[in-house]
Amino acid sequence: MKKLGLLLIACFAFAAASVAQNNIIKSLERNVPGQGKVSIHQDARIGALIGSEYIPAGPEEQKVIKSSGYRVQVYAGNNTRQAKNEAYSVASDIKERFPELPVYTSFNPPRWLCRAGDFRSIEEADAMMRQLRATGVFKEVSIVKDQINIPL
């Protein structure tokens, strides 16, 4: 008996929520004397989204703003295939030791670069540079001014 009662309560709550969704559109479209009339012409999919929970895009689709800032350069090689492999190897080492730190590997002629972080201040970049040096693995560590990504 208790289960049936809970089921009925859940059904009524769901029905009330769906009525509340429809009431938003209907309340805008209702005809009130002296206030004018609003007509809403929309795709049915928009009406289905009203009242639904927003789920942000995954990290690969995250929106960012470009800004001037600092990154820690961990590797700079020449334009050979070996340098490319070393740059990607250094990047994977950084990701393994600091998984939350964004790493950027790129070819900026005439060299392959591996840079880490998106720091707004030189002090933040310096703190990360010290952590990278403290591992004893990364030798060519320096701070460079670069275009950084600031997540929205």
Side-chain angles (χ1 to χ4, degrees):
M1 188 67 178
K2 288 182 183 180
K3 290 181 183 178
L4 181 61
L6 290 174
L7 181 62
L8 285 173
I9 291 171
C11 287
F12 287 129
F14 179 73
S18 65
V19 168
Q21 282 182 358
N22 291 334
N23 284 343
I24 294 169
I25 301 295
K26 288 182 180 174
S27 68
L28 290 172
E29 290 182 324
R30 75 173 180 235
N31 192 9
V32 179
Q35 290 189 358
K37 180 166 173 50
V38 174
S39 296
I40 299 175
H41 303 281
Q42 66 183 5
D43 192 320
R45 293 175 287 184
I46 294 173
L49 289 174
I50 294 175
S52 63
E53 182 181 351
Y54 172 71
I55 300 171
E60 65 278 351
E61 298 176 18
Q62 187 176 17
K63 300 207 179 219
V64 295
I65 326 175
K66 300 282 187 182
S67 177
S68 181
Y70 300 92
R71 288 193 173 141
V72 179
Q73 184 165 299
V74 186
Y75 177 81
N78 53 20
N79 63 354
T80 64
R81 179 166 300 280
Q82 181 183 354
K84 177 182 179 180
N85 294 339
E86 288 175 6
Y88 281 104
S89 174
V90 167
S92 66
D93 283 349
I94 294 170
K95 287 177 187 174
E96 193 175 296
R97 296 171 197 282
F98 302 94
E100 73 288 345
L101 186 66
V103 180
Y104 305 94
T105 304
S106 62
F107 181 69
N108 193 356
R111 61 181 53 96
W112 279 95
L113 301 172
C114 180
R115 294 178 175 174
D118 290 312
F119 304 107
R120 295 182 189 183
S121 71
I122 198 164
E123 291 82 12
E124 292 173 335
D126 184 60
M128 180 49 67
M129 179 185 71
R130 291 176 191 277
Q131 287 180 16
L132 287 164
R133 275 194 187 144
T135 63
V137 176
F138 310 108
K139 311 255 186 293
E140 306 173 22
V141 184
S142 62
I143 298 172
V144 293
K145 197 160 183 61
D146 202 352
Q147 196 79 343
I148 64 169
N149 300 322
I150 300 172
L152 292 177

